[in-house]
């Protein structure tokens, strides 16, 4: 039998067939594999298949043969990505607001190809893209690519920065004026993608929503600025300090919180956050738990449980956090309710009181004392994402 031109591609086709059609629950028999190869005009026999599998195993492919009268055969056991890992990638794509609906579906389809047709079916069952809030900027891929190129080539970029209008349209800010900055990093925060860059004119670090950046151009004749600032810059700490990526004056704020709120603070600011039990709360707990003699004998089991619960609720803690003081930060505090209190700095506590008073004024009660119309000491960074 004359060999076809595709015969030299036999091993490659076998790998592709195994990747696309097999897994631990779906084997392919030798005869089925021969039929699949015939579709590509490749001749094969049982003995040659055995030899091909040995060569692939020697090369490093994890191929398993299952002996069974029904349903037996070969399957590819080792893949670059396990199915749970691919599910995590799909979840990340679904939840990314900076990806458009179209791009999200394209990416999920490509991820599914890594799982084979049977694994792809499982991934498709958990895909919920429609109805999610997604950007409408289809050019975000090219924007990200140009930003990476600028970082690699150490040059500045120019672009227009967009904002929503009441007519639900994106238009350039500052009457279409060109922004020129030095890009240094890209980061995800609150389901959005941000460019962290140095503004040479303002002399400080700023951040920009990538899906609101339009018309990016590399300024190849201008080297990046702000290198010294970024040597001392911790992008993780920067993201944790800001709320909704709104900037503001950085400060170390001490909060007084109940025990049940400790986990919320650690989740938001990390395990390194300085949290200490208030001394008076410890004494209350010890008085509750260290009763002896007749007093302890008189307490019923229910009374003991109630007192233990009361002691836990009364325990208070001081948490020192580094934040960019802004209205979104105050909004986060408000959501925690009356159990949280700003102890210091006094100026931040005063601004928070003014913030609450301004809200109450909208409902015919309370009185603000100087934080109306933005006159609260906040920088413009705390109100606009781009600075």
């Amino acid at each position: 039998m004359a060999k076809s031109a595709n015969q030299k591609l036999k091993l490659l086709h076998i790998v592709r067939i195994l990747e696309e059609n097999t897994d631990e629950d779906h084997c392919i028999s030798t005869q089925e594999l021969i039929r699949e190869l015939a579709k590509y005009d490749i001749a094969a026999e049982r003995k040659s298949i055995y030899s091909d599998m040995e060569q692939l195993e020697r090369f490093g492919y994890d191929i398993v043969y299952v002996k069974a009268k029904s349903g037996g055969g070969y399957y590819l056991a080792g893949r670059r990505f396990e199915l749970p890992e691919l599910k995590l990638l799909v979840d990340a794509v679904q939840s990314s607001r900076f990806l458009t609906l179209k791009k999200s579906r394209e990416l999920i389809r490509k991820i599914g190809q890594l799982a084979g047709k049977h694994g792809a079916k499982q991934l498709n069952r958990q895909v919920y893209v429609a109805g999610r809030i997604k950007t409408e900027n289809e050019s975000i891929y090219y924007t990200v690519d140009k930003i990476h190129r600028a970082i690699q080539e150490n040059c500045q970029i120019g672009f227009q920065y967009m904002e929503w209008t009441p007519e639900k349209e994106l238009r350039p800010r500052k009457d279409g004026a060109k922004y020129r900055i030095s890009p240094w990093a890209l980061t995800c925060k609150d389901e959005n993608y941000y460019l962290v860059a140095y503004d040479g004119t303002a002399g400080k670090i700023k951040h920009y929503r990538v899906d609101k950046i339009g018309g990016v151009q590399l300024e190849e004749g201008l080297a990046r600025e702000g290198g010294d600032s970024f040597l001392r810059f911790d992008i993780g700490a920067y993201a944790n300090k800001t709320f909704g990526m709104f900037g503001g004056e950085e400060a170390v704020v001490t909060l007084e919180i109940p025990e049940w709120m400790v986990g919320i603070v650690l989740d938001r600011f990390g395990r390194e956050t300085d949290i200490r039990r208030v001394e008076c709360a410890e004494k209350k707990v010890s008085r509750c738990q260290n009763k002896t003699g007749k007093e302890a004998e008189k307490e019923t089991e229910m009374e003991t449980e109630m007192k233990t619960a009361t002691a836990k609720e009364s325990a208070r803690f001081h948490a020192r956090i580094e934040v960019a003081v802004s209205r979104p930060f105050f909004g986060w505090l408000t959501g925690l309710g009356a159990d949280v209190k700003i102890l210091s700095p006094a100026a931040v506590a005063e601004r928070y009181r003014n913030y609450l008073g301004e809200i109450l004024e909208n409902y015919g009660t309370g009185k603000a004392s100087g934080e109306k119309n933005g006159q609260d000491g906040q920088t413009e960074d705390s109100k606009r994402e781009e600075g």
Side-chain angles (χ1 to χ4, degrees):
M1 182 186 293
K3 293 184 178 180
S4 73
N6 289 339
Q7 202 68 29
K8 292 182 178 180
L9 303 176
K10 182 182 178 183
L11 288 178
L12 296 176
H13 280 287
I14 290 176
V15 170
R16 177 182 290 177
I17 291 169
L18 291 173
E19 287 179 337
E20 293 181 352
N21 298 280
T22 71
D23 57 34
E24 188 175 355
D25 299 317
H26 302 86
C27 300
I28 186 169
S29 67
T30 304
Q31 198 58 43
E32 289 172 329
L33 190 52
I34 292 173
R35 286 197 296 267
E36 288 294 321
L37 289 171
K39 295 178 181 179
Y40 302 98
D41 196 20
I42 298 173
E45 300 175 348
R46 281 185 173 274
K47 289 184 179 180
S48 67
I49 294 295
Y50 299 151
S51 175
D52 293 333
M53 292 302 179
E54 287 179 2
Q55 290 187 57
L56 290 173
E57 288 178 12
R58 284 170 55 192
F59 186 73
Y61 284 97
D62 186 6
I63 299 172
V64 175
Y65 180 72
V66 178
K67 292 183 179 181
K69 291 184 179 180
S70 177
Y74 298 96
Y75 75 87
L76 186 63
R79 294 178 178 271
R80 292 185 179 181
F81 294 93
E82 299 296 332
L83 192 59
E85 295 172 329
L86 295 176
K87 288 180 178 179
L88 287 175
L89 293 177
V90 168
D91 286 340
V93 171
Q94 290 181 144
S95 62
S96 298
R97 299 177 64 169
F98 58 85
L99 294 175
T100 64
L101 185 63
K102 179 181 176 182
K103 290 295 183 184
S104 295
R105 286 175 171 162
E106 288 178 2
L107 273 176
I108 290 171
R109 178 180 55 80
K110 291 177 181 178
I111 292 172
Q113 292 174 352
L114 298 173
K117 68 178 184 182
H118 302 293
K121 290 179 181 178
Q122 294 189 46
L123 292 176
N124 288 335
R125 291 194 191 105
Q126 69 171 56
V127 172
Y128 303 99
V129 176
R132 288 175 177 258
I133 299 175
K134 292 281 190 178
T135 181
E136 296 182 4
N137 186 354
E138 287 287 351
S139 64
I140 189 169
Y141 273 22
Y142 309 105
T143 299
V144 171
D145 181 60
K146 288 185 178 180
I147 291 172
H148 278 300
R149 278 184 52 202
I151 292 174
Q152 292 168 1
E153 297 176 14
N154 193 39
C155 66
Q156 297 182 31
I157 60 173
F159 57 88
Q160 288 183 322
Y161 201 52
M162 318 298 284
E163 65 180 351
W164 286 107
T165 68
E167 293 74 35
K168 300 180 182 180
E169 296 177 351
L170 284 172
R171 71 178 177 193
R173 288 184 177 179
K174 299 183 179 179
D175 296 323
K178 186 177 182 180
Y179 287 63
R180 183 179 287 114
I181 52 87
S182 300
W184 284 93
L186 288 162
T187 185
C188 287
K189 179 70 174 178
D190 297 330
E191 301 180 356
N192 288 309
Y193 210 21
Y194 290 89
L195 165 65
V196 182
Y198 185 81
D199 185 336
T201 303
K204 61 181 178 180
I205 295 171
K206 295 183 179 181
H207 55 263
Y208 307 81
R209 277 267 298 270
V210 173
D211 59 308
K212 292 185 178 179
I213 292 176
V216 181
Q217 294 179 337
L218 273 65
E219 306 287 348
E220 297 180 0
L222 298 174
R224 287 188 300 171
E225 301 174 332
D228 291 340
S229 297
F230 272 85
L231 285 176
R232 304 182 298 272
F233 185 73
D234 184 337
I235 193 167
Y238 178 77
N240 286 336
K241 290 175 186 176
T242 56
F243 283 76
M245 289 303 280
F246 277 69
E249 180 184 351
E250 293 190 8
V252 177
V253 177
T254 301
L255 305 177
E256 183 176 313
I257 59 175
E259 185 171 348
W260 67 266
M261 206 177 286
V262 169
I264 295 174
V265 173
L266 291 178
D267 285 340
R268 181 62 181 77
F269 297 98
R271 291 185 61 186
E272 296 76 17
T273 304
D274 183 4
I275 296 182
R276 303 182 185 184
R277 185 186 291 268
V278 180
E279 186 64 26
C280 62
E282 288 183 333
K283 292 178 181 178
K284 289 180 182 179
V285 173
S286 64
R287 284 200 301 269
C288 240
Q289 294 178 340
N290 295 335
K291 288 190 175 183
T292 59
K294 293 181 179 180
E295 289 181 334
E297 292 176 358
K298 290 179 181 179
E299 287 184 350
T300 64
E301 184 177 345
M302 183 177 294
E303 288 172 335
T304 302
E305 291 177 355
M306 290 177 62
K307 291 188 178 183
T308 301
T310 301
K312 188 173 183 179
E313 290 174 1
S314 65
R316 304 289 291 180
F317 295 79
H318 288 175
R320 286 169 52 85
I321 58 175
E322 294 184 26
V323 297
V325 180
S326 62
R327 288 177 177 269
F329 167 58
F330 291 154
W332 178 77
L333 285 177
T334 305
L336 295 178
D339 280 340
V340 61
K341 179 181 179 182
I342 298 177
L343 297 180
S344 66
V348 175
E350 178 64 21
R351 284 173 57 183
Y352 185 45
R353 281 193 293 269
N354 293 337
Y355 169 86
L356 295 174
E358 184 177 328
I359 293 174
L360 290 173
E361 276 195 338
N362 289 332
Y363 296 91
T365 183
K367 185 177 181 180
S369 55
E371 192 167 296
K372 294 204 68 150
N373 301 322
Q375 305 301 316
D376 56 351
Q378 296 186 56
T379 63
E380 190 65 19
D381 277 6
S382 66
K383 299 166 187 172
R384 310 299 278 181
E385 293 156 355
E386 89 293 3

